Amino acid sequence: MREVELAIIGGGSAGMAAARGAYENGVKDILIIERAKEYGGILEQCIHNGFGLHTFHEELSGPAYAEKYYGLIKDIPGIRFEYESAVMNIGDDNVLTVQNQEGYEKIKAKAVILSTGSRERSAGAIGLRGDRPQGVYTAGTAQQYLNKEGFLVGKRVFVLGSGDIGLIMARRMTLEGAEVVGVAELMPYSNGLARNIKQCLEDFDIPLYLSHTVKAIHGKKRLESISLIAVDENRKEIPGSEQIIPVDCLLLSVGLIPENELIEDLGIEMDGRTKGSVVDSNYMTTREGIFACGNALHVHDLVDYVSEEGYKCGRAAADYIHNGKETQEKNKSVLHKGISYMVPQYFYKGKDIEFMFRVTGIYKNAKIHVWGEGFDKHLPQLSLVPSEMVKIRLRKEDLEHVNGEIHWEVEE
Amino acid sequence: MYDVIIIGAGITGTLIAHSLSRYDLKVALLEKESDVAFGASGANSAIVHSGHDPKEGSLKAVYNLRGNRMYRDVCEDLKVAYRQIGAFVVATSEEEEEKLDTLIDNCIRRQIPYEVLSGDELRSREKNLSDDVTKGLSLPTTGIITPWEVCMAATEEFVMNGGDLCLETEVQAIEKKEDHFLVSTNRGTMEGKIVINCAGVYADKIAGMLGIHRYTITPRKGEYYILDHTGEKYVDTVIYPIPTVKGKGVLAVPTIHGNVLLGPTSDPMEDKDSVSTGDGLDAVSREIHKTMKNIPMNKIIHTFAGLRPVSDSGDFIIGEDEDVKDFIHVAGIQSPGLTSAPAIAEDIRDIVLGKLKPEKKKEFKRREAPVIMAYMSDEEKDELVKRDPDYGKLICRCEKISKGEIRDCIRRPAGARDVKGVKRRCRPGMGRCQGGFCEVEVVKILAEELGKDLNEISAAGGDSRILVAEAKEDL
């Protein structure tokens, strides 16, 4: 059986960064197992720019960011890529079963990093109602058809969900000759980055219908129209507020779900809010030797943060390979008002820790209040919105006297 | 001149066509959609019922029982999956417990194996049964199948043995001549000595073309949720509530591939084509709580609706027409239609054999069992990939389907010609991402195999092309 020191599942932005982090921390035998023909993961279909502002101080397109990052690792002999290879299963002792065009093989690794990205929530999962015509796609699938194959999946488009992918595709389809007649968002605030609302909707005069949803879709073999309806403060449909909008295509941008198929049957603890695994400050899951980072851990907004997280995860996996697991007890974050989730869920003392989280609503001029044994911080934030991930660094000194838990809340 | 023209390629049409293809007969199987099993046969609970509940004296009772006893062999013969997982009919009140007695009487009379169990005993076997369940009936001869798989395998052998499959062929008029029928379709006219009406919700319309107005078929819609198959198994037995006049009720049904169906509702419709979902799903959500608990609504990945063809008498209408000789009705095939179909096909075959007295074919070609990697061991998979690398290229990661398997299902006789065809034959798109990642790859493989451009590939025939325009076409 083949043995490697570190196996990284997924060679997208998180996986490549993890490889670099592990290598720079002394691991010289790294295998990145990638199921596509190329590195880069989802970046390969994101031809819009906005990637790399933090990492490279440049605004790059997705593929360009991937290529540039790949450039940092491609000449390192200790980091190898295996393409068109899919990990089918993680067995005991971190033995991976890998399928590719050479056969089915087993690879044993000292540590495994899951950087498998996320998938889109589908029409079926949101119980989209109405007929069953062709013409409903998740925004990412439409993006794949357009950016990689050169085809439009519709000419008169409506978008459900103001997540970034939907906004980006609204602009994309318009630039390629489709008419995008509107974007509906269930919540009273948008789900995407502020700059995307401006650059994808406002700049193109595409109306954003907040507190609205698609009640039903209509059409026989092809989509013919949608029923747009307003919702109240409890997100219940307001009867009588329906309008029929003729379209031949509905794009869904209704959420991303971390892809954790490989570990779900292993009894690893999952976080019901992130839908990713529960990890400690070394990005290790509750199963020894298995780590997670990137969109597979929690859905990110910026690739730069993904790369940072991947890098830290790689470094930590290297520490584990050389020194084994942590001996100290772990501490946990307890969440209160306004905090939707926290990554990492657990942490160890003795180092600065960078926490990443999202808030549950829109807060202006609020503070993040974080406290524990021996410290109490009130950190002012300019604006807090659910669609923008927050990063807070707590110093080693802050955490020195913590006794099992720290607490977080939004303070207005 | 065809010996037999069968209208409708659902479960009865395809099984009848299959039985007839063993004989020296020229048979045409007509279907208005782009593939077989697009109607009720493609959207149902997929259960081979034990025969416990149809009314005594009905055709349904007779055919259900016969069909149930044939199914294991039928599936083995066609090389498709069949699992006898058993069922529980559960009561949640004293009143409902009394209704169980009627079912027990049916079982005794019909010699259907059964067992009476208490609520606690039932819950020890299925832990997600509602705490309100007081008593129930176990029906171990209940099975599950993948209905379109049966139709497709039957059609494959039909075509392999000389049958004419006419897809996207809609019957527009039928004329009775002296000793044959003239059937006019959107693709031309054909002649046949015998016409068999298996047209589902449209059976009355087809019969009406010959002036026969003996029955009306009212479509009754049933809506379903589908749960993903990952993680802990929610239920492993078919769970029926106590049946009512409307039907068997909202069920929890495991599928062959490990998913769970929740549904169906039962709502009469006017539109014979609408398979939209909406209010019915709300009813499913409410009703399922009667029999089940801990319902994992967050594992819902898909919803669908099917239209049952319900005759006004509520029973099957099977047999040669009284007035129009050689026109055979197979109508009103709602539950337990799927279960009854093999038995119905036998009887219809016998009518045809009695009339035409054909010779049996000396050689009957059998389909090859499809390669299904999900059922193979790692060693078998390794060997397979080394023989043919296309089996090593993973296309659908949710369901673990390879390029080789997809390619195979397009190349088979009566194989897939569109995305839905691939989906139903080997599952890409039935997993959690619902085709989000793999659909593009499936479209590319279809284009490659069929020698078409990407934008000629449709989702499900008709006007359902996926790629509507080239980028920048309109600029």
Side-chain angles (χ1 to χ4, degrees):
Chain A
M1 169 158 40
R2 194 151 53 124
E3 288 196 31
V4 299
E5 283 205 280
L6 175 63
I8 298 178
I9 308 178
S13 39
M16 290 199 284
R20 185 166 150 252
Y23 185 80
E24 288 180 6
N25 202 12
V27 175
K28 306 293 176 204
D29 177 22
I30 300 168
L31 178 65
I32 304 178
I33 305 170
E34 168 54 56
R35 67 186 178 97
K37 290 188 164 86
E38 55 199 348
Y39 57 81
I42 209 71
L43 289 171
E44 293 304 300
Q45 65 185 60
C46 298
I47 68 172
H48 51 285
N49 66 6
F51 301 89
L53 224 37
H54 301 245
T55 315
F56 299 116
H57 307 293
E58 276 186 76
E59 257 203 75
L60 300 166
S61 70
Y65 182 94
E67 192 177 357
K68 198 154 181 145
Y69 207 98
Y70 178 69
L72 301 174
I73 61 172
K74 77 177 197 312
D75 294 323
I76 300 174
I79 300 179
R80 286 168 350 268
F81 260 95
E82 230 170 66
Y83 294 106
E84 290 192 286
S85 295
V87 176
M88 305 302 274
N89 166 261
I90 301 179
D92 297 329
D93 268 355
N94 291 344
V95 173
L96 309 178
T97 304
V98 180
Q99 173 183 313
N100 57 33
Q101 286 165 291
E102 265 106 66
Y104 236 68
E105 79 167 309
K106 299 231 189 285
I107 301 178
K108 184 164 154 63
K110 294 200 178 125
V112 178
I113 297 183
L114 284 166
S115 39
T116 44
S118 58
R119 65 174 187 277
E120 297 178 277
R121 188 170 274 120
S122 65
I126 61 167
L128 183 67
R129 307 208 159 185
D131 298 326
R132 289 305 160 100
Q134 188 57 21
V136 179
Y137 299 92
T138 51
T141 304
Q143 187 181 52
Q144 223 183 332
Y145 276 122
L146 184 50
N147 295 349
K148 296 191 106 179
E149 306 301 331
F151 286 98
L152 288 165
V153 292
K155 286 192 163 184
R156 204 179 138 81
V157 183
F158 195 87
V159 181
L160 175 57
S162 66
D164 289 316
I165 310 176
L167 302 179
I168 294 287
M169 281 313 288
R171 178 177 66 186
R172 240 354 243 126
M173 307 274 285
T174 309
L175 289 172
E176 297 294 344
E179 192 191 342
V180 179
V181 297
V183 176
E185 167 55 53
L186 188 67
M187 303 302 272
Y189 48 80
S190 133
N191 231 327
L193 296 171
R195 70 174 190 220
N196 285 332
I197 300 287
K198 173 88 185 61
Q199 294 170 8
C200 299
L201 298 188
E202 288 173 24
D203 286 353
F204 290 85
D205 293 324
I206 298 173
L208 173 62
Y209 299 88
L210 292 175
S211 296
H212 275 73
T213 190
V214 171
K215 180 177 151 77
I217 60 174
H218 314 288
K220 293 267 172 189
K221 288 279 185 187
R222 272 225 79 79
L223 184 63
E224 283 155 37
S225 64
I226 56 149
S227 293
L228 180 67
I229 194 165
V231 299
D232 62 23
E233 60 279 359
N234 295 314
R235 292 179 294 198
K236 294 269 170 292
E237 294 176 1
I238 300 174
S241 68
E242 232 172 285
Q243 32 174 326
I244 306 275
I245 302 186
V247 289
D248 70 352
C249 175
L250 175 66
L251 295 190
L252 302 177
S253 173
V254 292
L256 293 179
I257 305 169
E259 194 46 83
N260 286 293
E261 250 178 341
L262 282 173
I263 60 171
E264 258 165 32
D265 291 329
L266 299 181
I268 289 181
E269 196 186 336
M270 307 298 286
D271 183 324
R273 281 161 304 186
T274 59
K275 304 272 192 287
S277 24
V278 166
V279 293
D280 58 30
S281 45
N282 295 323
Y283 294 96
M284 193 163 88
T285 66
T286 53
R287 170 137 148 196
E288 195 182 324
I290 299 189
F291 298 77
C293 59
N295 269 2
L297 178 60
H298 59 139
V299 175
H300 285 257
D301 319 309
L302 296 180
V303 74
D304 306 87
Y305 286 8
V306 170
S307 295
E308 272 176 40
E309 189 175 80
Y311 185 84
K312 285 188 290 187
C313 178
R315 284 194 73 83
D319 280 336
Y320 167 77
I321 289 171
H322 296 137
N323 309 322
K325 64 176 188 193
E326 292 273 358
T327 45
Q328 57 166 291
E329 285 292 310
K330 58 187 185 195
N331 306 280
K332 74 173 193 216
S333 284
V334 180
L335 309 180
H336 304 280
K337 169 170 169 288
I339 310 283
S340 173
Y341 72 79
M342 186 65 57
V343 169
Q345 290 82 351
Y346 293 96
F347 65 94
Y348 298 103
K349 299 195 284 191
K351 288 215 257 296
D352 289 359
I353 311 268
E354 199 158 60
F355 290 91
M356 292 177 157
F357 58 94
R358 289 183 192 270
V359 295
T360 56
I362 300 186
Y363 299 96
K364 291 217 180 317
N365 296 318
K367 296 196 175 84
I368 297 293
H369 179 206
V370 52
W371 71 100
E373 191 68 37
F375 84 104
D376 190 348
K377 294 178 108 83
H378 301 262
L379 305 161
Q381 306 288 310
L382 209 48
S383 100
L384 291 170
V385 291
S387 63
E388 298 192 17
M389 193 184 285
V390 186
K391 262 207 297 185
I392 300 267
R393 175 183 292 272
L394 293 182
R395 296 172 311 137
K396 163 171 98 169
E397 295 76 26
D398 296 327
L399 301 169
E400 211 179 320
H401 302 287
V402 164
N403 197 358
E405 51 186 49
I406 62 174
H407 299 260
W408 299 80
E409 71 178 2
V410 174
E411 203 173 56
E412 293 184 89
Chain B
M1 167 81 71
Y2 284 102
D3 292 308
V4 183
I5 295 177
I6 302 168
I7 303 175
I11 191 72
T12 53
T14 54
L15 287 180
I16 293 168
H18 183 260
S19 358
L20 294 178
S21 69
R22 292 183 194 262
Y23 297 86
D24 276 329
L25 292 167
K26 206 160 168 254
V27 183
L29 175 60
L30 272 48
E31 170 52 54
K32 70 174 166 64
E33 300 287 350
S34 63
D35 203 349
V36 307
F38 251 57
S41 302
N44 54 67
S45 313
I47 303 172
V48 177
H49 301 287
S50 69
H52 65 289
D53 75 320
K55 214 165 66 163
E56 188 60 24
S58 63
L59 289 176
K60 283 181 173 181
V62 173
Y63 279 117
N64 184 161
L65 199 55
R66 263 178 69 192
N68 172 279
R69 291 173 177 157
M70 292 171 72
Y71 246 101
R72 188 189 288 281
D73 291 337
V74 168
C75 288
E76 203 177 299
D77 188 55
L78 287 173
K79 303 189 186 73
V80 296
Y82 170 81
R83 279 184 65 211
Q84 196 159 304
I85 61 172
F88 296 146
V89 184
V90 299
T92 58
S93 67
E94 255 183 57
E95 201 188 315
E96 287 192 342
E97 286 184 26
E98 281 169 29
K99 299 212 175 103
L100 275 179
D101 290 333
T102 319
L103 299 178
I104 293 171
D105 287 339
N106 287 345
C107 288
I108 296 172
R109 206 182 320 110
R110 296 168 189 168
Q111 293 177 310
I112 297 169
Y114 73 94
E115 200 188 340
V116 179
L117 298 167
S118 71
D120 288 333
E121 284 173 317
L122 288 162
R123 269 181 295 272
S124 73
R125 297 190 201 186
E126 281 294 349
K127 63 178 202 269
N128 289 310
L129 271 180
S130 158
D131 295 325
D132 297 336
V133 169
T134 51
K135 194 172 165 192
L137 196 61
S138 161
L139 297 165
T141 56
T142 310
I144 54 172
I145 54 170
T146 301
W148 52 82
E149 202 177 32
V150 177
C151 297
M152 285 164 176
T155 307
E156 195 180 321
E157 289 194 342
F158 168 71
V159 161
M160 284 169 80
N161 286 287
D164 274 351
L165 174 65
C166 309
L167 297 170
E168 292 187 304
T169 304
E170 185 172 344
V171 173
Q172 293 162 335
I174 310 178
E175 218 185 302
K176 176 90 171 102
K177 299 288 197 190
E178 179 75 40
D179 61 351
H180 68 274
F181 295 88
L182 196 63
V183 177
S184 310
T185 76
N186 60 336
R187 284 177 188 264
T189 42
M190 51 181 79
E191 297 173 316
K193 295 180 193 155
I194 297 174
V195 170
I196 308 179
N197 180 7
C198 299
V201 292
Y202 286 103
D204 52 354
K205 181 163 173 236
I206 296 291
M209 291 176 186
L210 283 163
I212 303 169
H213 300 288
R214 266 178 240 295
Y215 52 84
T216 24
I217 304 292
T218 307
R220 231 199 270 152
K221 186 186 290 188
E223 298 182 37
Y224 297 79
Y225 285 110
I226 306 181
L227 304 180
D228 187 34
H229 57 67
T230 53
E232 216 184 290
K233 214 162 196 158
Y234 179 61
V235 69
D236 205 21
T237 318
V238 175
I239 308 292
Y240 299 100
I242 297 292
T244 63
V245 285
K246 281 182 87 183
K248 293 185 168 64
V250 172
L251 324 172
V253 191
T255 72
I256 290 286
H257 299 281
N259 297 94
V260 174
L261 302 180
L262 299 177
T265 44
S266 183
D267 300 302
M269 297 274 118
E270 274 178 30
D271 186 345
K272 286 199 201 266
D273 278 330
S274 164
V275 285
S276 64
T277 50
D279 298 328
L281 293 177
D282 292 331
V284 170
S285 304
R286 284 192 305 268
E287 299 276 318
I288 195 69
H289 286 96
K290 275 189 67 191
T291 51
M292 306 294 296
K293 66 180 189 230
N294 302 328
I295 296 147
M297 297 303 267
N298 62 338
K299 285 174 85 182
I300 292 173
I301 51 170
H302 197 50
T303 59
F304 70 94
L307 291 174
R308 312 162 178 81
V310 180
S311 69
D312 12 31
S313 68
D315 198 4
F316 296 155
I317 297 160
I318 297 181
E320 192 176 10
D321 189 72
E322 294 165 12
D323 297 323
V324 183
K325 216 167 72 77
D326 300 329
F327 184 78
I328 303 175
H329 301 274
V330 182
I333 310 297
Q334 56 152 166
S335 184
L338 192 65
T339 313
S340 307
I344 296 172
E346 263 188 357
D347 284 1
I348 303 298
R349 175 205 63 194
D350 289 344
I351 297 177
V352 172
L353 295 185
K355 282 177 182 289
L356 300 178
K357 302 195 187 355
E359 291 290 317
K360 197 152 188 203
K361 283 183 175 143
K362 292 202 176 46
E363 197 206 336
F364 186 66
K365 301 198 178 91
R366 308 305 330 237
R367 71 190 288 251
E368 258 181 58
V371 169
I372 302 176
M373 291 179 80
Y375 296 159
M376 295 166 78
S377 70
D378 287 350
E379 291 73 34
E380 289 172 324
K381 284 189 258 209
D382 186 49
E383 221 186 276
L384 176 67
V385 172
K386 289 184 157 74
R387 252 189 297 126
D388 187 343
D390 272 356
Y391 290 106
K393 173 93 185 95
L394 190 71
I395 300 291
C396 168
R397 66 172 186 185
C398 300
E399 300 295 302
K400 304 191 164 56
I401 313 289
S402 67
K403 178 175 181 183
E405 291 161 282
I406 295 172
R407 183 203 64 194
D408 288 348
C409 87
I410 300 170
R411 289 187 186 174
R412 299 183 83 91
R417 285 158 59 240
D418 48 38
V419 173
K420 185 167 173 172
V422 171
K423 181 174 168 181
R424 294 198 302 167
R425 282 166 178 76
C426 58
R427 295 185 63 77
M430 289 198 172
R432 298 192 318 181
C433 87
Q434 291 286 294
F437 278 113
C438 67
E439 191 186 275
V440 186
E441 299 301 320
V442 171
V443 170
K444 283 156 82 169
I445 296 170
L446 275 163
E448 193 185 311
E449 288 292 317
L450 299 175
K452 293 194 161 154
D453 288 333
L454 283 187
N455 60 347
E456 291 178 272
I457 302 299
S458 82
D463 181 28
S464 65
R465 263 183 329 134
I466 297 171
L467 302 175
V468 163
E470 276 187 45
K472 297 189 174 56
E473 198 180 86
D474 284 347
L475 291 176

